[in-house]
Amino acid sequence: MKKLYFQIYLGVIGSLALLVVSAGAFFHFQGENSPQNQLFQTMRDVIVLALPTPDAPDAQQQAVLEKLARPSLPRISLYAADHRLLAHTGEALPPPAADARDNDWLRRPDRDSAWAMHLPDGRWLLAQPQHDRPHTPLPLIVTLALIGLVVALVAYPMTRRMTKRLEGLKQAVESLGAGDFNTRVETRGCDEVSSLAKSFNLAAERIESLLGAHKQLLANASHELRSPLTRIRLALEMQAEHPVPELQAEMRQSLAELDQLIEEILLASRLDTTREPLHADEIDLAALLAEECARNDASYEAVPLTLNGDERLLRRLLRNLLENARRHGGDTVQAELERNAQRAVIRICDNGKGIAAEERERIFEPFYRPAGSREKEGSHGLGLALVRQIAERHGGIVRCLPRDTGGACFEVSLPLPH
């Protein structure tokens, strides 16, 4: 398989070679339309205007010819239509042959080669420049060849540099596919290759973050599942000897916790790995808050507001906040819904011991357990992590704030339709 840089380099060299050949062929085969022929035709027209008529005395024609002579054109000869020499400067040039053509270079031995110009009145003007006639396309071909050589020397390191970055990107993709999720590509410049490298780095970071989150989720989920399973196992052992209604109720509670935890794990995984559009309906947010507050025995104040969103997800957001406040925040839970510009603001506040400032951001991590909390108090599970995911999927934000009268207050801000 040919390297990409070699293919690009061959393409550049081939294009230059084609340019040189085409230019040389163009100047060589265009005949009378060539710039050099047109120049000599112009010179012939000027000479015709300067020369006297054919029947003028030879001395007069000789005088005009001497005025036309130049150091670069030392030998000029004027012949009549019958090839009789009329005048000349320098050594006389031999007359043209019978088959001589107009505006043609007559190649002769003994340094007698010259340009032949057939004047309209039948006379012939022969002129020999100081140097022999050069091959017309040769200077152009040489110039283009030199340009091509310079371009070839410059093109190689340029193409090699560009494709070397692509080779580095290819190696990074292979490393990522082999399981090295720390692989990153150096981004240099602001071209398409650099943009591709940035996209690769963002994708690699996203993959690494997802895998890390899933590993952490599995580790935490296994720990959280162990507690209710242990309680169920102990209750079953005790029930086998002496059935106790309280143990049956505890088993039902543990099974409910397991069911909710599994549902939250599945929902968090779906929200984290998919970017499909939300099922957006027009939702009465005040009514939804009232239903969930009644379910959790919480007081509320709300202004009528409607927004577009997924009702099932927004219900889960409110329920998780209220249940979290009831479980970890004391015996009084208050909810508020108000409008702030083009946003709906939901606040769920409690009268618990509050949350330390350094933990107000980490509390939204899955299964986060605050420092100093007891094992039986449990972690915050996936509830608050789901709240953040749901809020962000609706274009909103959530944050944990201190409460002046003690406790914590969770504030969710969601955009309203225009």
Side-chain angles (χ1 to χ4, degrees):
M1 182 179 64
K2 291 184 179 179
K3 296 291 186 179
L4 179 60
Y5 77 89
F6 189 64
Q7 297 180 33
I8 297 175
Y9 184 66
L10 286 182
V12 173
I13 299 303
S15 300
L16 287 173
L18 181 61
L19 174 63
V20 171
V21 173
S22 301
F26 174 77
F27 280 96
H28 182 71
F29 292 109
Q30 64 180 338
E32 294 182 357
N33 293 324
S34 66
Q36 194 163 12
N37 284 345
Q38 292 178 1
L39 176 61
F40 275 96
Q41 289 174 7
T42 304
M43 289 175 56
R44 181 185 61 183
D45 295 340
V46 172
I47 291 172
V48 168
L49 294 175
L51 286 175
T53 59
D55 56 355
D58 293 349
Q60 184 179 355
Q61 299 192 48
Q62 178 67 33
V64 173
L65 212 62
E66 290 177 354
K67 292 181 180 180
L68 293 174
R70 293 291 185 273
S72 59
L73 205 65
R75 299 176 65 185
I76 304 176
S77 298
L78 181 63
Y79 285 88
D82 57 0
H83 290 187
R84 180 174 54 87
L85 183 62
L86 299 177
H88 66 90
T89 61
E91 184 179 353
L93 293 167
D99 57 350
R101 293 179 300 175
D102 180 30
N103 200 15
D104 192 18
W105 179 258
L106 305 179
R107 292 191 177 275
R108 296 167 173 171
D110 301 329
R111 303 182 62 182
D112 285 336
S113 299
W115 281 104
M117 302 180 191
H118 196 197
L119 306 181
D121 54 22
R123 287 179 294 179
W124 285 88
L125 181 68
L126 276 64
Q128 184 185 72
Q130 189 174 6
H131 303 286
D132 197 7
R133 178 203 184 199
H135 297 288
T136 305
L138 184 59
L140 177 65
I141 294 176
V142 172
T143 302
L144 291 177
L146 291 176
I147 294 175
L149 179 61
V150 172
V151 172
L153 294 175
V154 174
Y156 180 81
M158 291 180 61
T159 54
R160 189 71 187 97
R161 176 178 175 272
M162 180 182 67
T163 55
K164 190 174 182 180
R165 295 159 62 197
L166 291 176
E167 289 177 3
L169 186 59
K170 170 180 171 291
Q171 293 174 358
V173 172
E174 292 175 349
S175 298
L176 185 67
D180 184 6
F181 299 106
N182 293 321
T183 301
R184 297 294 183 271
V185 180
E186 182 182 1
T187 57
R188 292 178 297 175
C190 55
D191 53 8
E192 289 80 357
V193 179
S194 175
S195 177
L196 183 61
K198 292 177 182 177
S199 299
F200 171 82
N201 289 340
L202 290 175
E205 290 175 5
R206 177 64 176 165
I207 293 172
E208 185 180 21
S209 175
L210 285 175
L211 290 176
H214 286 172
K215 289 180 181 178
Q216 187 68 27
L217 178 64
L218 291 175
N220 292 329
S222 64
H223 178 77
E224 294 293 324
L225 288 170
R226 189 177 295 114
S227 297
L229 285 174
T230 301
R231 292 198 301 268
I232 293 173
R233 180 177 58 81
L234 292 176
L236 286 174
E237 292 176 356
M238 297 178 66
Q239 284 287 96
E241 299 177 2
H242 304 287
V244 180
E246 290 79 2
L247 290 178
Q248 294 179 354
E250 185 177 351
M251 288 174 60
R252 285 192 291 269
Q253 177 64 28
S254 297
L255 289 172
E257 290 180 15
L258 281 174
D259 183 66
Q260 180 178 358
L261 181 58
I262 292 171
E263 181 183 353
E264 289 181 345
I265 290 174
L266 294 175
L267 180 57
S269 178
R270 182 170 64 86
L271 290 175
D272 198 35
T273 57
T274 62
R275 287 292 179 265
E276 59 185 19
L278 291 173
H279 181 69
D281 297 319
E282 189 174 288
I283 301 170
D284 187 343
L285 197 57
L288 197 63
L289 180 63
E291 293 176 12
E292 292 303 315
C293 285
R295 183 176 181 275
N296 287 274
D297 192 23
S299 61
Y300 72 95
E301 295 180 3
V303 298
L305 284 177
T306 59
L307 57 77
N308 296 325
D310 190 311
E311 181 179 354
R312 183 174 62 88
L313 293 180
L314 290 174
R315 186 182 294 276
R316 168 64 69 179
L317 179 148
L318 295 174
R319 183 172 299 178
N320 285 4
L321 286 175
L322 290 167
E323 290 179 352
N324 178 77
R326 179 65 66 190
R327 185 182 304 114
H328 300 282
D331 55 357
T332 301
V333 179
Q334 295 179 333
E336 298 177 2
L337 172 63
E338 65 180 21
R339 183 186 186 119
N340 186 359
Q342 281 299 113
R343 303 187 75 85
V345 179
I346 306 167
R347 295 187 185 90
I348 308 295
C349 304
D350 59 59
N351 64 341
K353 61 181 181 180
I355 299 173
E358 62 273 11
E359 294 181 338
R360 288 175 193 154
E361 183 64 25
R362 296 198 61 195
I363 201 170
F364 293 101
E365 297 176 3
F367 300 104
Y368 177 70
R369 188 186 300 273
S373 62
R374 293 172 294 179
E375 178 69 24
K376 68 177 185 179
E377 294 178 355
S379 68
H380 288 273
L382 285 171
L384 295 180
L386 281 174
V387 167
R388 168 164 284 183
Q389 286 181 295
I390 295 171
E392 290 177 350
R393 287 298 299 273
H394 285 81
I397 57 173
V398 59
R399 54 182 182 164
C400 177
L401 304 172
R403 193 181 184 192
D404 295 337
T405 58
C409 192
F410 288 86
E411 182 182 271
V412 180
S413 176
L414 300 172
L416 293 171
H418 294 288

